[in-house]
Amino acid sequence: MTLRVLSVASEAVPLVKTGGLADVVGALPAALAPHGVEITTLLPGYPAVMAALGKPRTLHSWPALLGEPARLVAGKIDGHPLLVLDAPAYFARGGGPYADPSGRDWGDNWRRFAAFGRAAADLAGGVVKGRRYDLVHAHDWQAAMTLAYLRFAPVADAPPLPGVMTIHNMAFQGWSGAETFAGLGLPREAWSMHGVEYHGGVGALKAGMEAASAITTVSPSYATEIRDPQFGMGLEGIVVSRGERVHGILNGIDTAQWDPAADTTLAARFTARKLDKRLANKRALEVEFGLDADDGPLFVVVSRLTWQKGMDVLLGVLDHLVGLGGRLALLGSGDAALEAGFHAAAARHPGRVAVRTGYDEALSHRIQAGGDAILIPSRFEPCGLTQLYGLAYGCVPVVARTGGLADTVIDANVAALQAGVATGIQFDGVTPNALTAAISRSTALFRQPELWRQLQRNGMAGDFSWARSGKAYADLYGQLVEEIR
Ligand code: ADP
């Protein structure tokens, strides 16, 4: 029998993306289909999403969804069922999904995503005839209120549904002041320590974690790390109290989108057996970035430029990287100060450091195909996808030993090299010294072509598809549905 899951999220490729969340939400329907699970994705009706739908069918209308008119429309996303909350007052805005065109978060994000959660809970509760679900899967704080509404204000007579709360990044918790509680349409009892109240205000992620039948994070290491204040960021107590209800399921990658043997965005396609062909991509990347062409290592970065990603530390050691004969091609966007810092470094090191700010999916593929090593000095990393793309593309990951980075890269220490299993370079602690040492170690390994090729081949031989994790989610869904029956 097919299990029907409503997956509630604020992003999904190919319609709207600001980070890894979108890749994962977009991949889940295909990953779960082989396991007898049909996933329907619910997204907010941002302008790009509405435009992709054309003239959609209306399934339900709310005259006032937390005060504003809204309707639910149906479409498809990569051939899988899609529902969209068309609520112009909340979502028909320029700028990004969460911020205005100047990059400042919208002041009413709490209300936008509470309305989204209210709609999801109504849908899960059966307001659309003929649409029934066995389970609700909420992603990150933007979807978390769904589970709070299902718990405290469900549709009358709706049977209880199990809910999964997936945390893609603990740093984003969706907190708003106490005065917002009155606007949520929740009963008074929801304002409690085990409800939505958090530090004297409303905590959306917290509320979702308290209400969920199970909490998942996107790697096993991160599931353990968030029991600790450094990574739990205030929510560690809840993580610990939910104990065995917390699971770590590693993200996969979309191997149809990320296949160096078939990637049409590349100058040359290649495989682990035909690694020589990869060089054409390196040469093309040097030209594209205006870098010198030489035989030294070409380090690359594809990242949000933020403190989480350790980009400030990287900026501080660039002179060392260049001094070792390395070059850097960076694609990223984020903090204005970091963007300016990297542009200044590029001006200081013409031909050695080059920077593209902005968001460019195709370029991110060319970078993974042409770079020798991808630098990922994250202070914390719930899973991380860029190291997985690097592994698949023979771009050796150089990563901080944290979260999903620790789980997916095998450090090239002596034992791993001797056993022939190493896939990258790991380092401990995101400090200038540790990153400098890792860059030095990478450069030394790069200058031993046989060893370097072994790292590349081992990475490319790994299975980063959704096969295993798709089954893990299906098993978890199955258990939770059984439990409630
Ligand atoms: P996070 O979700 O924390 O940003 P992940 O590594 O999980 O980090 O996912 C980042 C995703 O966004 C990857 O698919 C990566 O390739 C992509 N990405 C990040 N920055 C850019 C950019 N400037 N241009 C294109 N793709 C980017």
Side-chain angles (χ1 to χ4, degrees), residues 82-353:
L82 171 72
L83 296 172
V84 174
L85 182 64
D86 179 24
Y90 296 127
F91 301 119
R93 303 179 182 184
Y98 320 119
D100 67 20
S102 75
R104 199 165 331 155
D105 277 357
W106 297 107
D108 62 346
N109 274 347
W110 66 272
R111 201 160 82 100
R112 302 170 75 211
F113 293 102
F116 184 53
R118 177 69 265 176
D122 285 357
L123 175 61
V127 297
V128 179
K129 267 209 175 53
R131 299 222 170 211
R132 293 260 166 224
Y133 301 94
D134 300 302
L135 182 143
V136 176
H137 188 165
H139 299 269
D140 276 352
W141 77 265
Q142 296 90 341
M145 290 303 289
T146 308
L147 303 185
Y149 284 113
L150 284 172
R151 176 178 172 201
F152 290 109
V155 172
D157 301 327
L161 282 187
V164 175
M165 179 75 239
T166 292
I167 303 169
H168 296 261
N169 193 335
M170 201 66 147
F172 305 112
Q173 300 185 353
W175 188 88
S176 55
E179 70 286 358
T180 65
F181 180 73
L184 297 176
L186 280 169
R188 284 188 68 84
E189 73 258 28
W191 183 261
S192 73
M193 200 175 94
H194 293 293
V196 307
E197 190 274 327
Y198 185 55
H199 288 301
V202 174
L205 182 61
K206 178 252 164 105
M209 290 170 69
E210 290 280 5
S213 326
I215 297 168
T216 72
T217 67
V218 286
S219 71
S221 282
Y222 194 62
T224 307
E225 287 171 349
I226 57 173
R227 302 170 67 87
D228 188 270
Q230 185 192 343
F231 297 99
M233 300 181 166
L235 292 171
E236 61 278 359
I238 300 172
V239 176
V240 171
S241 78
R242 303 287 339 251
E244 286 165 12
R245 295 266 148 186
V246 182
H247 309 264
I249 301 178
L250 205 58
N251 286 337
I253 63 174
D254 183 339
T255 47
Q257 289 294 318
W258 289 93
D259 175 5
D263 192 330
T264 52
T265 63
L266 308 185
R269 288 177 274 289
F270 59 97
T271 62
R273 284 177 47 210
K274 297 239 160 75
L275 264 182
D276 286 346
K277 293 195 170 172
R278 202 175 176 280
L279 188 60
N281 294 308
K282 181 170 175 177
R283 295 283 100 95
L285 198 61
E286 289 161 349
V287 172
E288 184 163 6
F289 272 85
L291 288 166
D292 301 340
D294 69 33
D295 293 331
L298 175 55
F299 291 97
V300 296
V301 168
V302 178
S303 183
R304 290 187 287 119
L305 300 181
T306 64
W307 182 87
Q308 178 198 337
K309 302 291 181 179
M311 287 293 127
D312 50 326
V313 179
L314 174 62
L315 190 55
V317 304
L318 278 188
D319 293 353
H320 176 82
L321 183 151
V322 171
L324 280 171
R327 287 157 297 154
L328 176 75
L330 176 142
L331 168 64
S333 62
D335 294 354
L338 284 171
E339 290 190 5
F342 278 106
H343 280 301
R348 225 171 43 241
H349 297 292
R352 310 309 295 175
V353 173

Side-chain angles (χ1 to χ4, degrees), residues 17 19-20 23 302-304 309 331-332 358-360 384-386 389:
K17 168 168 169 173
D23 292 299
V302 178
S303 183
R304 290 187 287 119
K309 302 291 181 179
L331 168 64
Y359 196 90
D360 189 334
L385 292 173
T386 54
Y389 300 145

